[in-house]
Amino acid sequence: MSDVRFSKRRIIVSAVVSLLAGVAISLGLGRLLYTEESRTVALEFKADIDQLSASIEREVLLNLEILYALKAAVGVMPDMTRARFETLTRKVLDRSPAIQAFAWAPIVERDQLPAFLREQRKTYPEFSVTEAGAEGLSPVRARAEYVPVQYIEPLADNRAALGFDLASEASRRKALTRAGESGEMVATAGIRLVQEPEDQNGFLVFAPLYEFAPGTSGTVADSHQTGFINGVFRVGELVKQAVGSELRTDLLLEVIDRTGDEETVLYRSGRPDAPGWRFADRYRAGQFEIGGRQWSVEAVPSEGLIKERRGLLPIFVSSAGIVLVCVVVGYFLAGARRNAQLSEAKAELERISLTDSLTGLANRRHFDAVLEQEVRRASREKTPLSLVMIDIDHFKEYNDEYGHPAGDQCLVQVAEILGAMIKRPADLVARYGGEEFAIILPDTANPTPIAKAFRNAVLDRGIPHPRSPVADIVTISLGVTTIPPETEVDPGEVVDRADKLLYEAKESGRNRVCGG
């Protein structure tokens, strides 16, 4: 009897232990799934916002191109009239709801103001030059020069702005000055537009116009500035055109001007004080430049958005595991293995598509993509960019002496040497083709010491090469080029420059660095 009781007790204890172990395992697996799912949801959310940010940047720049084209058209026309200005702008405004208005504003000296007023009152009898005061618009005070709005379209919606002196307000005057001195389009900080919903803003962009004397160089320094083409843009409409149906009500999307020490919300898709926003998950996409100002896109998800992206698998695994521990755990492990295999297969495919199979370095496809990206970044951020092209000297003779398998091992060794020399995450070593390698060095103004270090490192390895006319060991020739800041080039031109310098190094005796 005692044995029976002991057996029952042992079964009960075993059952309790198994149940507790099963519950613990199920809850642990559920928690693990929940954590991994949270990470995946966060990554997907950030990727979505990065894409929205890129769409908004693209849409804003496309609309600024309209103003640039209008500036070019005005620059080749004779004296501006109301009819000409309306003809130039009407069709564009009809097709582009993001543009609230276009305005033409000449520069008027103080002694020219009476004649300017008389001329304007022939068309607009009540025309006057005004500025913003405490009680609204008031007659302009005496200044050395004025920039009044002479023509504006559509006139019906913007008649109050007719005659307004753009130089009478500090922030606009600052933007006007920058545009006039640089010759570039310059944007203002955000301004309140009465046509927009609450908390929505617009911004102005000034494009300067000049007269060039015959025989001059055609630069801003040799010109006489005549005025400005002014575009008024609705940020809310720009976002709507860029994002469209992708803008959800359960996402708080913000466009923020972060120029200097300023921080102005240009657009906000909802009320930040509404309940349900997960401000701890706020994400800021990268900044981009609009007319000399730095914009960024930020987003805050709602509880509903996060819940929508979550699945029921963690709850199901935990609940079902308590009842059927073995079945659920076995099923989950099998599923986890499948998921891991799929992830590994995807990662391997991605690695193969971007990696040279022999050396393990980036392949030509990866190199081309990164170089194009770095050329754009260097142009945008005004930083230098260097490229090193490398060729193993007399590699054909090496293959003839030792055979192609040994040649492959030589390539692997050189690749290992170059890869070990790279320390910064942004630098990239790639096998360009055959026995040729390429190294991208972002934000590097003097790559020559680095290139010499590559050459010396290969020499120090001392790979035998008795058939080389240069040395009895493997040597390399290097062509180095640097694209200075504020230099516009395309990736193919960068490669051509480095390749020509590599050819020069080979023609000059090899085992040397040319360029810098």
Side-chain angles (χ1 to χ4, degrees):
M1 182 66 70
S2 60
D3 291 340
V4 173
R5 288 177 183 153
F6 178 77
S7 179
K8 288 182 178 179
R9 191 180 301 115
R10 186 174 60 182
I11 291 173
I12 293 173
V13 170
S14 298
V16 171
V17 170
S18 298
L19 178 61
L20 293 176
V23 170
I25 292 172
S26 298
L27 292 176
L29 289 174
R31 179 63 181 174
L32 180 64
L33 276 175
Y34 183 86
T35 301
E36 182 63 23
E37 185 181 61
S38 298
R39 189 182 71 85
T40 301
V41 168
L43 290 175
E44 290 176 350
F45 174 72
K46 292 177 180 180
D48 290 346
I49 302 309
D50 285 336
Q51 184 174 354
L52 291 180
S53 176
S55 298
I56 292 171
E57 177 186 7
R58 183 167 56 251
E59 185 64 32
V60 176
L61 293 177
L62 285 173
N63 277 269
L64 292 189
E65 283 296 320
I66 297 174
L67 179 61
Y68 186 84
L70 180 60
K71 171 190 171 181
V74 170
V76 298
M77 291 189 66
D79 293 340
M80 183 58 63
T81 66
R82 175 186 173 185
R84 287 173 180 159
F85 193 73
E86 181 180 5
T87 300
L88 281 172
T89 58
R90 172 54 55 189
K91 290 184 178 180
V92 174
L93 290 167
D94 289 342
R95 292 196 302 267
S96 302
I99 305 174
Q100 178 179 316
F102 283 125
W104 157 251
I107 297 175
V108 179
E109 304 292 338
R110 182 191 297 182
D111 57 356
Q112 299 171 336
L113 185 61
F116 175 78
L117 288 172
R118 286 194 300 271
E119 185 64 26
Q120 287 302 107
R121 286 169 181 168
K122 293 178 182 179
T123 305
Y124 308 105
E126 298 180 358
F127 184 91
S128 62
V129 178
T130 60
E131 63 181 31
E135 303 298 328
L137 295 179
S138 59
V140 72
R141 290 171 291 180
R143 279 191 290 276
E145 65 178 23
Y146 310 90
V147 187
V149 175
Q150 184 176 10
Y151 305 117
I152 189 167
E153 290 295 335
L155 180 61
D157 298 331
N158 300 278
R159 184 174 287 273
L162 197 64
F164 179 73
D165 181 15
L166 298 174
S168 64
E169 192 271 321
S171 64
R172 300 185 193 190
R173 184 167 59 251
K174 182 178 179 181
L176 288 169
T177 302
R178 284 179 54 208
E181 292 176 349
S182 66
E184 303 291 335
M185 294 193 298
V186 174
T188 67
I191 59 173
R192 183 76 176 88
L193 298 177
V194 296
Q195 291 89 343
E196 291 289 281
E198 184 178 358
D199 293 331
Q200 307 305 323
N201 290 273
F203 65 100
L204 307 179
V205 178
F206 298 115
L209 294 169
Y210 305 90
E211 286 183 350
F212 299 96
T216 61
S217 62
T219 63
V220 173
D222 296 327
S223 66
H224 168 67
Q225 188 177 357
T226 58
F228 297 87
I229 290 291
N230 171 26
V232 185
F233 297 87
R234 300 181 176 99
V235 181
E237 200 63 44
L238 287 169
V239 173
K240 180 180 177 182
Q241 290 181 190
V243 179
S245 60
E246 297 180 32
L247 186 57
R248 306 163 55 116
T249 58
D250 53 6
L251 177 70
L252 181 61
L253 186 71
E254 296 178 341
V255 179
I256 301 176
D257 184 341
R258 297 183 181 276
T259 304
D261 297 330
E262 302 176 24
E263 182 175 319
T264 305
V265 177
L266 302 174
Y267 171 82
R268 182 178 283 137
S269 63
R271 295 179 57 88
D273 55 353
W277 298 121
R278 294 170 60 103
F279 286 99
D281 296 325
R282 173 186 287 270
Y283 174 65
R284 180 194 298 182
Q287 291 193 152
F288 51 90
E289 182 179 340
I290 298 298
R293 303 193 69 82
Q294 297 299 317
W295 287 18
S296 65
V297 174
E298 297 188 15
V300 179
S302 68
E303 292 285 352
L305 187 149
I306 297 299
K307 288 180 180 178
E308 178 184 312
R309 297 191 175 197
R310 289 194 180 279
L312 298 176
L313 185 59
I315 297 175
F316 170 78
V317 170
S318 297
S319 301
I322 295 173
V323 181
L324 300 170
V325 173
C326 294
V327 175
V328 172
V329 169
Y331 174 79
F332 174 74
L333 290 176
R337 281 196 299 272
R338 286 196 298 272
N339 290 337
Q341 290 168 355
L342 288 174
S343 298
E344 290 175 2
K346 180 182 177 183
E348 181 65 16
L349 286 174
E350 291 178 351
R351 187 191 67 80
I352 291 172
S353 68
L354 300 176
T355 304
D356 177 59
S357 60
L358 175 64
T359 63
L361 298 179
N363 60 16
R364 175 69 178 274
R365 174 187 176 191
H366 193 187
F367 167 82
D368 289 341
V370 172
L371 181 60
E372 182 176 356
Q373 173 185 327
E374 291 298 336
V375 167
R376 289 199 306 267
R377 188 178 71 84
S379 175
R380 183 175 63 252
E381 299 180 2
K382 311 302 181 187
T383 57
L385 173 66
S386 294
L387 177 64
V388 182
M389 299 295 289
I390 300 171
D391 193 73
I392 299 177
D393 295 330
H394 299 290
F395 188 69
K396 179 180 182 299
E397 287 77 2
Y398 189 96
N399 277 332
D400 292 342
E401 174 72 15
Y402 294 109
H404 288 283
D408 288 347
Q409 288 306 307
C410 178
L411 290 172
V412 170
Q413 290 186 68
V414 173
E416 289 175 351
I417 294 169
L418 299 178
M421 298 284 292
I422 293 299
K423 304 300 182 184
R424 300 186 306 176
D427 297 341
L428 179 75
V429 184
R431 184 182 179 193
Y432 194 75
E435 67 273 20
E436 195 168 0
F437 299 87
I439 302 174
I440 300 173
L441 300 172
D443 200 14
T444 301
N446 182 21
T448 301
I450 302 173
K452 290 181 178 179
F454 292 146
R455 185 183 72 88
N456 291 335
V458 173
L459 287 173
D460 291 343
R461 178 64 67 92
I463 305 170
H465 191 357
R467 294 189 60 180
S468 171
V470 180
D472 59 357
I473 58 175
V474 169
T475 61
I476 58 175
S477 298
L478 304 94
V480 181
T481 187
T482 299
I483 307 306
E486 302 180 1
T487 301
E488 296 290 338
V489 296
D490 60 58
E493 184 178 349
V494 181
V495 173
D496 287 343
R497 291 185 187 181
D499 208 42
K500 289 177 182 177
L501 290 165
L502 173 60
Y503 180 79
E504 181 180 332
K506 293 160 70 174
E507 287 295 306
S508 302
R510 304 181 186 259
N511 189 24
R512 64 192 61 212
V513 177
C514 282

